[in-house]
Structures are given as C-alpha cells and as structure tokens.
Amino acid sequence: MKTKLKVSEMARFAWINPRTLHYYDEIGLFQPNSKDENGYRYYSLDQLLDLGLILSLKELSMPLKEIQTALQGDAETMRNLLEAKRQTIDEKIQQLTNIKKIIERKAADLRLAAEKTSPFTLKEQPEEYFSLSPRLNGSSIPEMITQAYDLLMVQPYLFSNNEYGFMIRTNKDDTQDIDYVYVRQEEPQGTSFVKPAGCYLTAIYQGDAEGLKQFYQKLKQLIATHQWQIDDYFYERSIHETTLSNEQAYLTEIQVRILSEE
C-alpha cells in the first residue's frame, strides 16, 4: 500500500514551500494523488519522482508551461525543449559577455583619463573600423539626429554603450560642424571606414560644449607650434557622459593622426 503524504509533508521532503504545491495544483501541473471525504489532499510517496523532475527543470530556468509540455511528452519532446533552452542560455552567455566587455571598456577609459598628467599625449594607435553615417556637413539638427540613429539599426546597443563619436575635418574653423557620426566595429565589414594606424595626438577635455570649442583652439595652437602635419579628420568621442545639470563633468577625447613631426 502506498504511503500517503500531506501537503506539508510532501513540501518538507522536497525542500519547498507548501504554497508552491498549492500553486502547482491550481494550474494542473502537479496534483495530489487522492482526496478523502473531508477534502484533505494527499500525495503518494512515488510522486516525489515527478516532483523532483519538475523542480529540476525549474532549476534550469525552464518556464512552467514548457515543464508541463515536457511532462506530457516523450523523450524527443524533452530533448527538443532542452536543446531550445541550451540555445537560449548560449545567447544569454554571449549577451553577458558583451555587456562585460562594455563595462570593462568604459572603466578602462575612465581610469586612463584619470591617470593622465597632461591633457595632450602622443601615442601609437592600431587600425580601427567604423560604421559611418552619411555626410552630415550642413545638415539640420533633426537630420543629423535621424542619420545618427540610423546607425543603431545594425548595432546591438544604444549609443552610450557603443564606442561612438564624430569625425570633423581638420581644415574647418568650426569644429562643431560635424562631418560624420561613427560607431566602432569589432571587425571590418565591406563598407567599413578604416581609421588608419599611426601616431595620434590625443587630447582629453573636461567640461561643456561651449568650452570644448575653446579647447579645440588650444589643440590647433599646439599643432601649429610643433609644425605637425596632420591627417584629414579629428576623431571626437565621449568617454564620460552625464546629465545636462552636470555638464562640467563631461569627458571628451579628441584624436588626430600626426603625419610628420618637424
């Protein structure tokens, strides 16, 4: 004769809350084996095997609806559900790996900015690859915003979590007249813009947009003083963004390739 277990006893054997068993009963996932004349419900001892399977699948983050399907199906049904869950987990692992890289990059940028003893440094930089917006020179603000956000259609994250920035021709007087918005790519694609490797003058500016214009003038004066020949574009990117009420905490990086040093 099978041993009868009360709800509280079954819950204790399975290390779960009795309310969980009540809920499984309500949705038809796992129900007591018998009920007496007083309405008390009882489980059989061998039902622990079924409950153990349910709890093990739940521990694998399988939704209750899929668990119900698995319990009602055959081995092939179970295999298909487990394969689908494995694929979901693989995608989640990749997503978390990408998020970790973003966090590490942001933290590294801020650490390097904090360690700089001068706002201007010369350093060899590797080749990089960008997705570019259409040419923005002379575009209205709404047009620029539209073109910039079109870049996000093929990107997994918004701008703040991508390496994005602006390209501005170095022969311009108005450094706020942006030529392109770019988003950095991990690998080159057929239409990629190649930012060439070489020696780059890197400048770090802290402050709002108005002060940035004056900072560009200092940067150009430094270039003129050293009689450096420079490449076609300034590459400007934000390395710390904050709210409008705290614009003085903005950190902006500007790079330009030095072609020759006199």
Side-chain angles (χ1 to χ4, degrees), residues 130-193:
F130 296 158
S131 296
L132 296 186
S133 69
R135 183 74 177 270
L136 298 174
N137 190 16
S139 299
S140 67
I141 296 299
E143 287 173 332
M144 291 174 62
I145 293 172
T146 298
Q147 296 290 355
Y149 271 83
D150 280 347
L151 284 176
L152 295 181
M153 299 302 293
V154 293
Q155 304 296 333
Y157 302 101
L158 294 176
F159 274 125
S160 295
N161 288 326
N162 277 286
E163 285 191 78
Y164 80 96
F166 310 112
M167 291 170 55
I168 303 163
R169 293 195 72 87
T170 52
N171 61 1
K172 287 183 174 180
D173 292 328
D174 184 2
T175 53
Q176 290 191 321
D177 185 12
I178 297 167
D179 287 275
Y180 299 98
V181 177
Y182 73 80
V183 174
R184 185 176 178 275
Q185 301 169 337
E186 289 292 334
E187 300 291 337
Q189 300 173 10
T191 58
S192 296
F193 172 85

Side-chain angles (χ1 to χ4, degrees), residues 19 31 90 107 111 119 134 153 174 193:
R19 284 177 291 186
Q31 296 176 316
D90 284 343
R111 183 173 62 253
M153 299 302 293
D174 184 2
F193 172 85

